[in-house]
Amino acid sequence: MRILWGRLSWRVVRWPLLIVGLFGVLVLIRIPSVMDRQATMKMVAQVHASRLSSDDIAGTHLPPAPDVEKNDAVLAGIDANHNGIRDDVELTLFAQYPVSSSSLLPMRAAALQYAKALQRYLTVVTNGDTLTAVIQEDERGSFCIRDTIPKPKQTDNDALWDNYFSAGTQQMQHIEDLVLNTPERKQAYQDAFKKYMTSYGSIGGAHCDLVSTSTSV
Amino acid sequence: MRYASFFAIGALLLFVAPSVQAASCSSSGVTAVYVNGVLTTDDQAKSDKAMLEQIFRERSGRSDVRFVAGYNPTHIAGTGDVLKTIEQTYQGIADEPMEDYDLKTILQQIHSEVTTKQIVLIGYSQGTFYTNALYDYLTTHGVPAYAISVYNIATPASFVAGRTASDGAYLTSRNDAVVNIVRKLTMLDGTNQPLPANITLALAPGESTQMFAGHSLAGDYLVHAPVRIANDVIRTLSLLSAPSVAAVSVRGMSGGAAASGGCFDAPPRDLVYQAEQAAFALADPAASSTVAVGAAAYSATAGALSVAVSLVTGMANTAYAMGASAVAVVADAFASVPPEARVAGVTPAVADAGSVGAAIAALPNDALVPPAATISATEPRPTPPVIAAPVAILPTSSPVIPPPSTTTPPTESFLTHLLQIATSTVNALLHSSTGSTTPSAVTISGGGSGAGAPPDTTPPAAPVISIAECAYSLAASSTQPCLLAAVGASVQWGSDADVDHYRVLIDGVLATSTAAATAGVLLADAHTSSVTVVAYDAAGNAATSATVLVSVQTHPVIINEISWAGDDADAGAEWVELKNRTPYQINLSRVTFVSADGAVYAPLTGTLGVHFGTNRTEYFVAYRTREPATPVYTGQTLAVSFPALSGAVRQLEVVQGLGVLGTTTLDATPAVGACGGSWCAGALASTTGVKSGGVPAVHSLSMERVDAAADGTTASNWATNDRYVIADLSDGNGDPVYATPLADNTAHLPNIGWSCGSDTAIVPGATYRPNSTSCTYLSAYIDDGVARTAALYGGTVGSSTVVSSHSVSHSSSVQTDTIPPGAQAGDPFFIALYLSDTQTDAGFATYFTTGATSTPNNFYRVIPFTLAP
């Protein structure tokens, strides 16, 4: 009787146990993927949350000039002041838009923002979601650059508008050349797209991290 | 078991949940989906989308349009895309679009991104096939036809889905080598020809020799025609209507709402799709790395390509008998190739790379621009030709060696040439990946002559046409269309006894019908027209001439500025500035500078350029004794002989010589009596302002045209230079020259003013909010070189705080001003400009902020304004 009961019990219990066991295995298998997903979501949030500070634009903590060889030895380069902008790029942009020229401050801020966005292609892209986040910030930076260029009137002729668009494109190309300054960095930039490119949409909101960049006397 | 089911479902959801995304669908706003083209690099697709979005936003001012990149990936290192293009070109619109893997992928990926009921699809190159297919899919899966529209750029497609193929529906350059090649090839059989080119975009130096010349979105279309593209997209948006709630509820799947959430029903990720996805996941990375390796072997034998492709795709279980079959294997990976489109019996062979180009070049050039096509959404679309007897049909399921060809279908030459394009593209890819300078090529040749059955009747010879006035075209280059300054033109051709009558078509539309060998036509101004003549015999057989492009731009060259009083150092330094109002370079040897009284007659030489980027080569100066002392562009000035302009007022003209046909007056200044016998503007040694200490400033000023588009004979269209001088422009004494040679005129600017961004200077008392922090101070009432302070104050004079202050020495200065963040609409502000030095600054600051002191001098101006909402 005891044996019979034992057999009956096993027949009843074994299926739920099997399902629970299978579920447990599935959960275990799924754990790395879920962790990756969480890490991705965290990284995406960081990419969108990381903005230029007023100190970044004022150059309060400008880094020293990096050693060229050490800077180019690794993809990310040297970012001694940890503001997301590679030191060699940051110093070049500050030289291009000097502190003494207040009218250049908005342009400097936009250039730094765009450089910071481009640097992320070399440091944070690990899948389609992070690439999309970086692209969206890249777009914000490029929009911000164009916002700093005096815009023609809607009634102005096409030539003036063509000139305006061309000026923004040239400025962005200049910064891209600074950030992607080695064959390895260019390759890493292109690889990020080759591996993870997908469809995506633009994000809304203000184009520039900091809009109040004027100086008053 | 209930628990078991619960756990099972829970576990299933755990796996499936990440791929399920909800999407909302808003009645307001628009989603613009950009689909990139074949061989567009992934990062370039990103850049193109961003630039399109920027251009559109800046031009339209709309912020309710969200741009989405509908990513069209490259497959098999680009080879797959080329073959896909061939298939799409050949297929046209007759085949079921949902058999396409990339189309499904785009739809699935954009499903959560498309959040508005109104959608604009913007395609580029091969992506235009997808925008057309997306339109067909979306309008049958939840999107009403009136809420979606398509705009295509550089399109090899023969139509724009849902739209009449008018200028605003697409943009294709006449210099687009890729589209031109497709056009030539398709014209062999009349199969799905690309839409006619509708713009001429200049090629960069050296670009014309490149295979894909004039086809780049970022390098050609968005550089040379950003405004046109933005305007076209704006026009495309204007075609949309938002679906009403009622419409949504009753239209169902045929045009109202998606059944599965979101704005449309995405295609399912079925087993076939997932198999294709897995195949590409393996093949694409492998192909990219294999191309470089394969390139080396490929230079020895074309057969290596078929091996490499077969290996990397992993899809070929059986080796095809001939090397070209490997290409068909790649095509098979797309799973959507209809049996009729798969052609075998073509043989790859090692050949000189030039053979492909030569084969294409041998095609007639007059095939480049077919008559304009008008295809409306309601009209039946062109039907692809029926292939009566395919060379060979490859079964879908199992690749086997096909039987040899026994017949020659009418489309064979077409397909053969398209395959030649494919192979030449592959060659280009191989060279680019290896950096090889010695091209190695594969040629795929057809198996037959391609000749069709002889016609029942013989058409007349095609007329060879010319435009009489084009013998004196103003165009500086033979690559530009014939450029005329008048709308009337005489079309001529040789008479033919076999011809019953001729029809003259302008932009594909009948202009006139005649039995003669010449016809007068009127062409539209500010437009490039295509002129074609069709000869008809009595039996109705027709032959069409080559197309001649004629651009009419009335007043293409104008007199823009006259320095009749010279400068402060030399009153004899007289010159006349001309301006090119067209997008074309102008041959000045066709232009003569004259006066109505005949005293001035000066044939010109050289080239009048166009405004491109920062180059202002649209200006040209004809000077009498001394070149304007400015850093000019080489070739933009010319010494000509004419009587002193300061000695007598004259009506000046520029005319175009047309040989025996006469002359056309391009532009003229006001008649001598229009301004009481004096020059209508400009000044000789006139008191113009103040210097330090209140000393009067005396200068000679030029006569500037106010509006280049307005009539030059109107007196009010001329004004005296307002002393906003060009930096670095100086006279013989090193002093400023009060004129704007080779630069935009400034006569419309006020003596005192302030504005930000692209706004015009505000008037005192205005309600204004700057749209930019980049603000311009105008202070021509103070002479150049004299220090002044320009400042923005919050408050009113005597009770204010300084917001920003700038020391400047020039009458036009751009500074940074920002309205304080806490300022409210209605708050008073004012601009202060004053002649300053170290003795006066403190006094003015006190006067403006507290009113406790009087002003140190009287050379100050104030522009009060109220902050707008």
Side-chain angles (χ1 to χ4, degrees), chain A residues 19 151 153 161 200 202 216, chain B residues 4 49 53 59 69 758 803:
Chain A
I19 291 170
K151 195 186 306 179
K153 291 176 286 190
W161 277 95
Y200 65 94
S202 304
S216 56
Chain B
K49 178 258 181 187
E53 181 173 356
R59 269 306 265 188
S758 58
V803 176

Side-chain angles (χ1 to χ4, degrees), chain B residues 253-424:
Chain B
M253 292 309 298
S254 63
S260 60
C263 296
F264 64 89
D265 288 323
R269 296 169 60 87
D270 54 22
L271 285 177
V272 173
Y273 175 83
Q274 293 186 37
E276 290 172 324
Q277 188 177 35
F280 281 126
L282 285 173
D284 287 342
S288 296
S289 54
T290 306
V291 162
V293 177
Y298 193 64
S299 62
T301 169
L305 176 63
S306 65
V307 175
V309 173
S310 296
L311 286 174
V312 299
T313 59
M315 294 181 173
N317 298 320
T318 304
Y320 281 63
M322 300 176 183
S325 299
V327 179
V329 172
V330 179
D332 194 44
F334 287 93
S336 60
V337 182
E340 310 84 60
R342 300 185 188 178
V343 179
V346 286
T347 308
V350 178
D352 176 61
S355 61
V356 173
I360 298 168
L363 295 168
N365 281 328
D366 57 8
L368 276 173
V369 185
T374 302
I375 307 165
S376 80
T378 55
E379 293 171 346
R381 290 172 182 167
T383 304
V386 175
I387 302 177
V391 178
I393 299 175
L394 302 182
T396 306
S397 55
S398 58
V400 295
I401 300 173
S405 169
T406 55
T407 57
T408 303
T411 55
E412 182 181 20
S413 57
F414 163 74
L415 289 170
T416 301
H417 284 291
L418 285 179
L419 286 170
Q420 285 178 327
I421 293 298
T423 51
S424 58

Side-chain angles (χ1 to χ4, degrees), chain A residues 19 30 103 138-139 142-143 146 151 153-154 158-159 161-164 189 194 198-200 202 214 216-217, chain B residues 4 11 18 42 46 49 51 53-54 58-59 66-69 71 109 226-227 611 613 758 803 805 816 818:
Chain A
I19 291 170
R30 184 70 185 159
S103 63
D138 168 354
E139 286 189 344
S142 64
F143 294 165
R146 222 175 274 283
K151 195 186 306 179
K153 291 176 286 190
Q154 292 294 341
D158 290 0
W161 277 95
D162 290 347
N163 190 14
Y164 163 71
Y189 171 77
K194 280 181 185 170
T198 183
S199 300
Y200 65 94
S202 304
S214 73
S216 56
V217 181
Chain B
D42 305 317
K46 177 266 298 182
K49 178 258 181 187
M51 192 167 178
E53 181 173 356
Q54 289 174 338
E58 300 290 2
R59 269 306 265 188
R66 181 168 181 267
F67 276 68
V68 169
Y71 177 54
Q109 291 183 347
V227 176
H611 181 178
S758 58
V803 176
S805 178
T816 299
T818 302

Side-chain angles (χ1 to χ4, degrees), chain A residues 57 106 109 113 144 147 206-214, chain B residues 773 816 818 821:
Chain A
I57 296 171
Q113 180 181 331
C144 181
D147 286 350
H207 299 154
C208 297
D209 287 352
L210 291 175
V211 292
S212 180
T213 54
S214 73
Chain B
T773 57
T816 299
T818 302

Side-chain angles (χ1 to χ4, degrees), chain B residues 713-757:
Chain B
T713 61
T714 303
S716 60
N717 198 27
W718 295 90
T720 301
N721 173 274
D722 51 12
R723 302 179 311 286
Y724 292 110
V725 301
I726 300 172
D728 303 327
L729 179 63
S730 56
D731 63 17
N733 293 334
D735 295 326
V737 173
Y738 293 89
T740 56
L742 304 176
D744 290 339
N745 292 343
T746 62
H748 58 287
L749 297 178
N751 277 348
I752 308 124
W754 178 76
S755 63
C756 299

